[in-house]
Amino acid sequence: MEFRVLGPVAVVTGRGEPLPLGPAKRRSLLAMLVQCPNAAVAVDRLTEAMWLEDPPRHSRTVVQGHVSQLRALLAAHDARAHGVELRTHGAAYLLRVPETLVDAHRFEELLRLARAQRTPRDAVPVFQEALALWKGPALAGTVHSPLLEHAAHALEELRLTAVEELADAHAALGEHATAAAALRAEAVAHPMREPLIAALMRALGGAGRQADALHWFHRTRRLLADQLGVDPGAALGDAYTALLRTAPPSAGSASTAAGRDATPPQPAAANPPARTRAQTPTPAPAPTLTPVSVTAGAAPRPQLLPRRPRAFTGREDELEALDRAATAAPGAVALITGSAGVGKTALAVHWAHLRGADFPDGRLFVDLHGYSTVPTRGATAVLRELLLALGLPAEQMPGSPDALGARYRELTSARRMLIVLDNAHDSGQVRPLLPGGDRCVTVVTSRDRLGGLVASDAACPVPLAQLPAVQSTALLAAVLGPDAIANEPEAAAHLAALCDGLPLALRVAAARLATHPHHGLAAFVRELSDEHRRLDLLNVDDTGVGAALGLTVRQLPEPARRMFHRLGPHTGATLDICTAAALADCPAGQAAVALDQLAAAQLVVEAGPQAYVLHDLVRLYARSLDPGHDPDGLPRLLDHWLRTLLAACAAAEPGSEPCCALPAAARRPAAEIRTFADRTSALAWYSAERDTLRGAVDAAVAAGLHDRAWRLVLLQWPLILWQVRDGWVPLLEQCLASAERAGDHGAQSRARALLGWVLAEEGRSEEALGHLERAPDLSALAGDRAGEAVARINLAIALTRRGTPERAQELLVRALALAEEAGRTETVTLAHQHLTQYLLAVGAHDEAACHAARGLALAAPPLAAPRRVVLRTLYGEALAAAGRTPEAVRQLDDAISEARASSYEEGEIAARAVLAGLAGA
């Protein structure tokens, strides 16, 4: 038997078969015990490891259940024969296990043994044996809690140290290429670990690959500067200095050593492009080619690039993608695509400056004005400009477009050049401008995906998304200075988020701050948080987000333009076809076509089948185009959400009765409403759309549509039940305020009942009772018997938890009668469930069993399985207390089976805990 934590947490038998450990929480518990073999681990510490957020109230029961499962699993596989036993020590657990059975312990022992070897040749196989124990990232398959993350990080640090020491041993034996191979994959995965990069540089230098070694230095230096704002440390600097002393004095080495931040002297012979992480097979050396002479003397080497972008930040992955695209095939075409203001031109120009040495015959740049206030440039005018740059005299210029193209391809056929075609509108605008040489590289930028260019010319797409948070903040620091960001880090992070990670927006924001430094970051963030002013604040002179987006919208086909004008009322970042159809008041098929066109123009981002992302600044721009153009847009959207919420409720809690109906004025949808396959998909949708729905509530309140606002909150109750301690109180208070403004007593009762229950779960009992005591009378005033039943049940629960249960039985009995009068089966079963719990607590076991049996008889499908699991568990507990043990065991076994079949983990654990207690008794 072997316990593994160096990879997925696992227990493997002597035959190499992994044991079925079960869910992530159980693996997390085992991981904590394995890391402290033969030592007691407190339940509180195990709980801290097993839950990423605050644990539930019954967490100890859950821990006990997982321990019982592990103990049974180990016993079933003869663990004691291996000296393995899981013991209970008061409020702690101890895993008794020989340390040699734990892979992490063996790994550390082998490291100590390798370091004790006399020679590197003896150490290498021991290091290799130690590293062979790793099967992936440490502690994989566990909960991402801080305790386990810290432990995994410590193990990973130990592994990286072992890799570095193994490489040192190979280098000591003169096996530099082997050392470099061992280090390179780790350097890619840990690009800012300076000792690791320094070791890789030394290995590459020892293998005679000084250029590659120096490239790694400059790459790491850029990363450290862009992301951390620091210079390389001593280890990296020493490795760099040593390489410069040993580098051969050839032209190629000199240009590499000079770094990639300035255009080096042009070499006489053509050099292959720099290789990066994605290595391609090294081609056979190309013969030296003589450029075509168009005039007497040497051919010109035009350098028409714009100046290097200032404060360029991040984009390491995209830069490497351009490197790969430039070497993908002869006559490579790289296609940088992205939305307005995302930094396509800056990336292309920055890369062109970095790779200057790779294009000795020149670099050309043309703005095609595909998305511009001036007319799009035609192929004839652009070809004349390019031919002039290539040295063709004006008097020799061909007359026809075809002849111009032929002459252009002839003059580029034997050269190694870079051609940057910026701001292309479509594929047809680009094709005539592609050079003729297999050794030329073309970089195209466009707001369109240019799928035709990919199909016809094998263009390699390099999609450009918004900057991540860290790089966004780094860009602000590059413009404003690091001190400004360091003084207000939270405001800087918030500012980056408000700018959607869009470089154009970030630069405009930084420009405003730089010209008004007395305002401060926090004050500007407060201004920018106002959605009505945000676009205006992100404009400076002739530069701004709105202007850039406007150029894209003007070029849209009519269906996409019409759809874009309707997107303003949307309240979230995610957008599916059904929601788009509701916004545009059109069939789903038309919405799908329009969304595809918007995605091609980079105004929405495809996130999956029929799913898109609409960034805030784009949404705000859509809202600004024609406010009031479609006054029914917001009500139509809110009614769409209400219908979708009803469908989600039905799937999340099968057989449940909706807590409210649609408002009388609800509009009929033009397209079908989203459907949900099962409970899991419904709850996942609830979680994903929670922020969007909160925005919809805010929009409904702002528009005075309170009849929609309170419904949008109450229909989220399935998610509230499952994520009760997750900040719902402000939303429920807003729900209550809207119900009061709408004058709906039934809605007020439902809101107070749910709000009171959430407050009670949070331990705020006085506030909870204030709402719960008023809820039944409000329901009675509205004539809502089912609502009154729910209110009475929630009040009884709160009184019992508070330690004042005297009224609980009366409240629950009355709730049961009301639910039966209203014909609400689900509420009847709920009343039976809580009556069973109350009667068990006061020792009335036979009566408790009776109520559990009655509730269980009503809880047949389609009622949700969790309700049946809870009732069966309570029934088993009541039967056991009444001395009817065989019947109790049957009910608990059935509860466990049904909980497992429906993936109701907490229900299974609770039932097992009762069964284990019964077995112990």
Side-chain angles (χ1 to χ4, degrees):
M1 181 170 282
E2 180 185 10
F3 290 80
R4 295 179 180 174
V5 293
L6 304 181
V9 172
V11 181
V12 180
T13 65
R15 292 179 294 180
E17 298 173 353
L19 301 187
L21 292 179
K25 285 188 174 62
R26 195 171 305 150
R27 293 174 184 272
S28 302
L29 184 146
L30 178 62
M32 290 295 293
L33 296 172
V34 168
Q35 289 179 88
C36 306
N38 306 305
V41 183
V43 170
D44 289 344
R45 193 159 178 79
L46 293 172
T47 302
E48 187 180 351
M50 291 168 66
W51 276 273
L52 181 59
E53 299 173 348
D54 290 341
R57 189 176 58 253
H58 56 281
S59 59
R60 281 183 176 266
T61 303
V62 176
V63 172
Q64 291 168 0
H66 283 303
V67 169
S68 298
Q69 289 284 82
L70 277 175
R71 188 177 283 144
L73 183 66
L74 293 171
H77 289 83
D78 203 19
R80 288 199 177 187
H82 299 276
V84 176
E85 186 179 5
L86 180 51
R87 296 178 174 179
T88 303
H89 275 250
Y93 295 99
L94 178 150
L95 181 66
R96 186 170 69 84
V97 56
E99 291 187 349
T100 54
L101 299 185
V102 179
D103 61 352
H105 173 79
R106 294 206 311 280
F107 175 67
E108 293 184 39
E109 284 294 310
L110 285 168
L111 285 191
R112 283 191 284 271
L113 181 61
R115 291 162 181 163
Q117 298 302 309
R118 292 184 176 181
T119 67
R121 191 166 300 281
D122 294 330
V124 164
V126 187
F127 277 122
Q128 289 173 333
E129 183 182 354
L131 290 166
L133 293 171
W134 283 76
K135 311 298 181 186
L139 304 178
T142 59
V143 174
H144 296 295
S145 61
L147 268 180
L148 291 171
E149 293 268 343
H150 178 76
H153 177 72
L155 288 168
E156 176 66 7
E157 283 293 311
L158 202 57
R159 184 187 71 82
L160 288 172
T161 302
V163 172
E164 291 165 1
E165 292 181 40
L166 171 61
D168 288 342
H170 278 301
L173 296 171
E175 299 168 351
H176 300 290
T178 304
L183 292 165
R184 192 174 188 283
E186 303 301 339
V188 170
H190 303 85
M192 288 189 287
R193 185 181 173 92
E194 294 187 57
L196 181 65
I197 308 299
L200 175 58
M201 289 169 60
R202 289 193 296 271
L204 289 168
R209 296 165 59 188
Q210 281 85 358
D212 286 342
L214 290 167
H215 170 66
W216 273 100
F217 172 78
H218 290 297
R219 177 183 187 274
T220 309
R221 177 180 57 77
R222 289 197 306 271
L223 278 174
L224 292 170
D226 290 346
Q227 296 196 18
L228 303 180
V230 299
D231 293 325
L236 210 57
D238 291 347
Y240 178 61
T241 303
L243 278 167
L244 291 181
R245 288 172 181 161
T246 58
S250 67
S253 298
S255 65
T256 309
R260 297 182 181 270
D261 293 331
T263 304
Q266 301 296 339
N271 294 324
R275 299 289 177 182
T276 57
R277 280 197 304 201
Q279 294 288 323
T280 53
T282 303
T288 302
L289 297 173
T290 304
V292 174
S293 177
V294 295
T295 61
R301 296 173 177 176
Q303 302 293 339
L304 301 185
L305 291 181
R307 64 180 174 83
R308 182 192 296 275
R310 298 293 182 259
F312 186 89
T313 301
R315 301 300 195 193
E316 289 79 13
D317 291 342
E318 289 86 354
L319 288 168
E320 293 194 8
L322 281 172
D323 285 344
R324 291 193 295 274
T327 58
V333 180
L335 174 58
I336 303 174
T337 62
S339 63
V342 81
K344 301 179 294 297
T345 303
L347 174 67
V349 174
H350 183 74
W351 182 84
H353 278 284
L354 287 178
R355 298 295 177 257
D358 297 336
F359 303 103
D361 297 323
R363 294 169 293 176
L364 302 173
F365 178 94
V366 181
D367 184 353
L368 300 178
H369 298 304
Y371 296 86
S372 175
T373 55
V374 300
T376 300
R377 300 194 65 189
T380 301
V382 174
L383 285 169
R384 287 179 180 277
E385 181 181 313
L386 292 172
L387 287 169
L388 287 170
L390 290 168
L392 185 69
E395 60 271 16
Q396 296 181 22
M397 201 69 63
S400 70
D402 289 344
L404 285 168
R407 189 70 170 125
Y408 167 64
R409 289 187 291 275
E410 176 191 356
L411 293 182
T412 54
S413 62
R415 303 190 191 196
R416 176 155 190 80
M417 300 188 71
L418 172 65
I419 293 89
V420 179
L421 303 175
D422 186 47
N423 200 10
H425 181 262
D426 53 38
S427 302
Q429 189 184 18
V430 172
R431 288 192 188 98
L433 308 178
L434 296 177
D438 285 348
R439 301 166 71 229
C440 290
V441 173
T442 306
V443 175
V444 183
T445 77
S446 180
R447 300 183 192 183
D448 193 273
R449 290 180 293 198
L450 301 191
L453 195 66
V454 176
S456 64
D457 293 273
C460 296
V462 180
L464 204 59
Q466 277 74 1
L467 284 171
V470 172
Q471 293 184 7
S472 296
T473 308
L475 177 55
L476 290 172
V479 178
L480 298 173
D483 290 345
I485 305 305
N487 292 338
E488 300 180 86
E490 292 184 5
H494 194 184
L495 176 58
L498 289 172
C499 290
D500 274 347
L502 202 65
L504 174 60
L506 290 162
R507 289 179 181 276
V508 170
R512 276 196 175 273
L513 285 163
T515 53
H516 300 85
H518 56 282
H519 285 182
L521 271 171
F524 185 60
V525 164
R526 284 194 293 273
E527 292 183 65
L528 209 61
S529 297
D530 182 354
E531 288 192 347
H532 299 290
R533 299 187 59 201
R534 192 176 305 166
L535 281 177
D536 290 336
L537 290 169
L538 293 177
N539 284 321
V540 173
D541 296 333
D542 60 345
T543 302
V545 176
L549 291 170
L551 294 173
T552 305
V553 173
R554 284 180 212 164
Q555 304 283 352
L556 290 173
E558 182 55 32
R561 186 161 50 251
R562 188 167 53 249
M563 171 65 77
F564 189 79
H565 278 260
R566 297 291 183 92
L567 294 181
H570 190 47
T571 56
T574 55
L575 179 67
D576 59 29
I577 288 176
C578 294
T579 306
L583 283 161
D585 198 21
C586 69
Q590 289 182 21
V593 171
L595 284 173
D596 189 57
Q597 292 171 340
L598 289 175
Q602 311 288 342
L603 288 168
V604 299
V605 180
E606 248 179 312
Q610 300 188 351
Y612 300 83
V613 173
L614 176 67
H615 291 290
D616 279 352
L617 292 177
V618 177
R619 177 177 55 82
L620 292 177
Y621 180 70
R623 185 178 299 174
S624 74
L625 289 178
D626 193 2
H629 172 72
D630 182 15
D632 290 334
L634 178 61
R636 200 165 52 239
L637 174 67
L638 298 177
D639 293 344
H640 162 77
W641 285 130
L642 290 176
R643 293 177 189 276
T644 309
L645 282 164
L646 285 168
C649 282
E653 297 291 334
S656 64
E657 298 89 356
C659 63
C660 62
L662 290 169
R667 289 154 176 76
R668 286 186 170 277
E672 61 186 20
I673 297 299
R674 180 177 183 145
T675 57
F676 301 92
D678 52 27
R679 170 190 186 80
T680 301
S681 64
L683 288 173
W685 176 84
Y686 268 119
S687 294
E689 298 292 350
R690 181 175 170 180
D691 288 341
T692 300
L693 294 169
R694 178 59 192 262
V697 174
D698 290 339
V701 170
L705 299 171
H706 296 289
D707 60 338
R708 268 80 166 182
W710 66 258
R711 286 176 168 88
L712 287 167
V713 180
L714 289 184
L715 287 171
Q716 295 181 58
W717 65 269
L719 185 66
I720 296 173
L721 293 179
W722 286 90
Q723 296 183 6
V724 58
R725 295 190 193 90
D726 200 15
W728 292 103
V729 170
L731 186 66
L732 289 166
E733 289 173 340
Q734 192 174 29
C735 169
L736 176 58
S738 283
E740 289 174 338
R741 289 193 178 188
D744 192 314
H745 294 109
Q748 293 173 44
S749 173
R750 298 265 183 178
R752 288 187 183 277
L754 189 52
L755 175 57
W757 181 73
V758 170
L759 287 166
E761 288 288 323
E762 292 185 355
R764 298 159 64 177
S765 58
E766 291 301 323
E767 295 173 76
L769 288 172
H771 290 289
L772 291 169
E773 291 283 7
R774 296 183 61 185
D777 291 341
L778 286 165
S779 284
L781 192 61
D784 181 3
R785 293 180 178 179
E788 185 181 351
V790 171
R792 287 177 176 276
I793 291 170
N794 287 0
L795 177 57
I797 295 169
L799 289 169
T800 303
R801 286 180 181 169
R802 192 189 182 204
T804 54
E806 296 78 12
R807 294 170 53 202
Q809 185 170 10
E810 175 193 347
L811 287 164
L812 291 169
V813 169
R814 178 60 180 153
L816 177 59
L818 287 166
E820 288 175 337
E821 289 173 20
R824 294 296 184 95
T825 303
E826 189 216 7
T827 310
V828 171
T829 60
L830 184 66
H832 280 303
Q833 173 188 321
H834 287 288
L835 269 168
T836 303
Q837 289 173 319
Y838 171 80
L839 292 166
L840 275 172
V842 299
H845 304 132
D846 289 327
E847 194 176 353
C850 178
H851 276 287
R854 288 171 62 190
L856 197 55
L858 293 169
L863 278 184
R867 179 62 46 79
R868 292 194 297 278
V869 171
V870 171
L871 281 165
R872 283 194 192 282
T873 303
L874 290 170
Y875 193 20
E877 195 174 348
L879 289 169
R884 297 159 63 181
T885 304
E887 296 174 73
V889 171
R890 281 196 298 274
Q891 288 298 330
L892 292 167
D893 282 340
D894 288 347
I896 291 167
S897 298
E898 189 162 9
R900 185 181 298 166
S902 59
S903 301
Y904 180 30
E905 181 183 337
E906 292 187 2
E908 179 184 352
I909 290 169
R912 287 190 180 280
V914 175
L915 190 60
L918 183 60

